[in-house]
Amino acid sequence: MTQIKNIRKMYFEEGKNISQIARETGHDRKTIREYIYKDNWNKGLPKVTKGLAFTKLEPFKADIDAWLNEDKKARRKQRHTAKRVYDRLVEKYKNDFNCSYRTVAAYVAIKKKEIFSERKGFLPLEHIPGEAQVDFGDADFYENGKLYNGKYLNLSFPYSNKGYTQLFKGENQECLFEGLKTIFEHIGGVPTRIWFDNTSTIVTKVIKGGGRTLTDDFLRFMEHYGFEAVFCNVDAGHEKGNVENKVGYHRRNMLVPVPRFERLSEFNKELLVRCEEDAKREHYRKEKNIEELFRDDVAALLELSKTGFDTSKYITVKTNGYGKFFLNNGLHEYSVSPKYANEHVLVKLTAFHVIILDENYREILRHKRLYGNHKQQSMQWLPYLNQLARRPGALKYTGIYQMLPQPLKEYMESVSKQEKGKVLKAIADLTQKSGFEKAVETVSTALSYGTTDLDSLINLHSWLHEKVLQVEPVQLPEYIPKLKRYEPNLFTYDKSLRKAGAERC
């Protein structure tokens, strides 16, 4: 990936043509052309040549500088090459232009170094429109009544002081990519330059002298969206002070009191709306409101790629004898299916889910992703129940039986051998309909009633967990007369009964 990045930098930033790159790198022209015109980075950068004063170009430098500076707002593929600069000068000045292509190319290479070279270790005193800063903060929240110790991603634009935030359950690479992608798509563009901490999710090594070794996934993310990444000095997060302040501002104004919601994805949409509303206030220093200043940021943004970026990570894991596997150093346990016991399976990790795929990349099972440095388990019972329903006779001799909740084991022991398969199939159906927890609750309630037949179990589940339509009383029209309530005369029955008794005697 580093070699690819270097080739792309030589072409797009240094103005070298394919033949020059082939001679310097030893790669064939076809390979170099493929790297240069590659658009989809789902699955390099700078090197420069030195130049001289170029006095002959003096009358034309203003045009060249303006064109190259304008390129800062364009994607790399749509930036000027030295050949394109030369052609435009010839076209504009015709016979008045008397410089060679080599002179133009040499000057363009030096100017690109000046414009596009990385600035490391410090922030400019005057913030430029279109540049941004990124940082995570800590925040608790409740999803469906469960407390999470979460993280929230903050992206701020120092020029306008506008900020955006997204809430997650963790701070891994998938959360970072998903949050940035969501914000990019929301604002309709990509910051030209983004400042980061030296987090291990994107930086593998800090090199003496200020360089960074970045992960391949982050390099792909950068290339896909076309932004430049800049990193603070080690242990100097204060250098990106705008976003540091934004972390506290977002917590105080958008995450207090502790948020409570049913779905995190819906709450994140709401956060973007709140960020837009927040931008209507006045800038703390400039005599304009934030939204008005943000228009300059938007004008400087890079264009979004037409190809969507897959923020997921794909790994291969080995399941154990129960068809389960572990992540996060063995702390988080996920089920697959008895069918995939002791096999390698492909796992797709997103910010929110752990998805198991088969050999044809079709989804087998989906779990909500677990977060936290303590032991947790996510168990999807349906594949196990379906397997047991096909072989109920082997139930007590499998490890799966020991994993079943106690009410379910008691219920299975109370039914006949012939009924076990039908009961397991019914419980699997109830699980698919409303979840395993509700199916177990139904079984537990049936045990308390002393009911073990299948029909009663199904009816009990409907009564406990399915919504029953409440019918309102029928309102009769006014033209229908009200009838007097009929009250039977029980004395007549008593008289008849006495008469019958007397005759029998």
Side-chain angles (χ1 to χ4, degrees), residues 311-340:
T311 60
S312 310
K313 179 184 288 185
Y314 295 85
I315 60 173
T316 302
V317 298
K318 176 74 179 295
T319 63
N320 59 20
Y322 300 111
K324 296 180 171 184
F325 64 91
F326 295 86
L327 296 178
N328 194 26
N329 298 318
L331 292 176
H332 299 163
E333 182 182 20
Y334 297 90
S335 66
V336 184
S337 166
K339 176 183 176 182
Y340 293 93

Side-chain angles (χ1 to χ4, degrees), residues 275-313:
C275 290
E276 298 297 348
E277 290 295 320
D278 179 71
K280 294 177 181 178
R281 60 191 172 91
E282 188 172 340
H283 190 278
Y284 65 93
R285 180 167 55 86
K286 302 175 182 178
E287 295 181 355
K288 292 182 180 180
N289 66 35
I290 292 173
E291 186 57 45
E292 187 177 354
L293 291 166
F294 186 61
R295 292 173 193 155
D296 294 334
D297 280 317
V298 172
L301 295 178
L302 301 173
E303 184 181 349
L304 273 172
S305 172
K306 294 179 181 178
T307 307
F309 187 84
D310 185 359
T311 60
S312 310
K313 179 184 288 185

Side-chain angles (χ1 to χ4, degrees), residues 336-470:
V336 184
S337 166
K339 176 183 176 182
Y340 293 93
N342 297 312
E343 289 191 13
H344 286 91
V345 293
L346 181 64
V347 178
K348 177 181 179 180
L349 302 175
T350 76
F352 306 108
H353 296 98
V354 173
I355 304 167
I356 298 93
L357 307 175
D358 66 12
E359 60 276 6
N360 295 314
Y361 307 105
R362 294 173 301 194
E363 183 174 326
I364 299 172
L365 208 62
R366 176 181 296 242
H367 294 267
K368 286 188 176 180
R369 188 165 183 175
L370 301 173
Y371 285 93
N373 293 321
H374 58 280
K375 286 191 173 183
Q376 299 176 70
Q377 180 191 68
S378 179
M379 186 73 189
Q380 296 281 10
W381 276 101
L382 191 58
Y384 293 84
L385 294 172
N386 286 331
Q387 182 84 355
L388 289 173
R390 288 191 288 269
R391 300 183 62 190
L395 174 62
K396 296 197 70 171
Y397 307 101
T398 66
I400 301 172
Y401 181 77
Q402 300 304 322
M403 294 158 47
L404 292 174
Q406 188 60 33
L408 204 51
K409 286 194 278 189
E410 289 182 22
Y411 193 88
M412 295 306 300
E413 290 171 0
S414 67
V415 301
S416 66
K417 183 177 180 180
Q418 292 76 18
E419 290 292 313
K420 275 184 169 58
K422 295 179 181 179
V423 169
L424 284 167
K425 179 64 170 63
I427 293 173
D429 292 340
L430 298 181
T431 298
Q432 189 162 21
K433 182 185 296 185
S434 55
F436 185 67
E437 291 77 12
K438 291 183 178 179
V440 173
E441 183 184 344
T442 301
V443 170
S444 182
T445 305
L447 286 171
S448 67
Y449 290 160
T451 302
T452 58
D453 65 282
L454 193 57
D455 290 337
S456 296
L457 185 68
I458 295 172
N459 290 330
L460 185 58
H461 185 273
S462 299
W463 177 67
L464 288 172
H465 303 298
E466 293 182 10
K467 293 182 179 179
V468 179
L469 181 63
Q470 298 294 329

Side-chain angles (χ1 to χ4, degrees), residues 39-54:
D39 184 57
N40 186 355
W41 289 90
N42 270 311
K43 263 272 153 250
L45 259 149
K47 189 183 174 183
V48 197
T49 48
K50 297 182 180 180
L52 301 173
F54 306 102

